[in-house]
Amino acid sequence: MNLLDDSAVRDRLAAVPEWRREGDEIRRTITAADFPAAIRIVDEIAVEAEKLNHHPDIDIRWRTLHLVLSTHDAGGLTELDFTLAARIDEIAAGA
Ligand SMILES: C[C@H](O)[C@H](O)[C@H]1CNC2=NC(N)=NC(=O)C2=N1
């Protein structure tokens, strides 16, 4: 999987406006209704991540989820990060 250059990252970020670039990562926060709802979201994300074999860093703080995506094997941002970001957005929207 090839690293995306800055213009490609900007293009792809436009499709996932909840996400922000921070160096070699993209980040977003999801606020769930309560703690069990937050864990259910994490569970749904885990299923999608496993399908892609691409896994976010997830910081769970009560009902707030802090998600970080980067392609560790490539040392930066690749298409996989944006594919998973879009799936996470669908999960968050449906929660
Ligand atoms: C061996 C396994 O396929 C790799 O370690 C996968 C697993 N999940 C991953 N997740 C992320 N975010 N980046 C990776 O480079 C990555 N690599």
Side-chain angles (χ1 to χ4, degrees):
M1 187 59 75
N2 298 325
L3 284 178
L4 297 172
D5 64 23
D6 287 349
S7 68
V9 169
R10 267 195 304 275
D11 288 347
R12 281 158 186 77
L13 271 177
V16 285
E18 297 294 323
W19 295 79
R20 294 281 176 277
R21 180 178 190 170
E22 309 239 344
D24 287 336
E25 303 172 332
I26 54 172
R27 296 168 174 264
R28 82 156 280 183
T29 296
I30 299 172
T31 302
D34 54 26
F35 188 60
I39 300 304
R40 283 194 294 274
I41 290 169
V42 170
D43 191 45
E44 287 186 59
I45 290 172
V47 170
E48 291 306 311
E50 203 63 13
K51 282 182 199 170
L52 287 172
N53 188 33
H54 198 67
H55 306 85
D57 297 341
I58 305 174
D59 181 357
I60 303 171
R61 300 187 180 207
W62 183 27
R63 59 199 186 111
T64 299
L65 303 174
H66 298 281
L67 299 151
V68 181
L69 283 169
S70 187
T71 303
H72 309 307
D73 295 345
L77 290 167
T78 69
E79 293 290 355
L80 274 173
D81 297 305
F82 291 93
T83 299
L84 183 53
R87 294 201 188 172
I88 288 171
D89 289 353
E90 288 167 16
I91 291 166

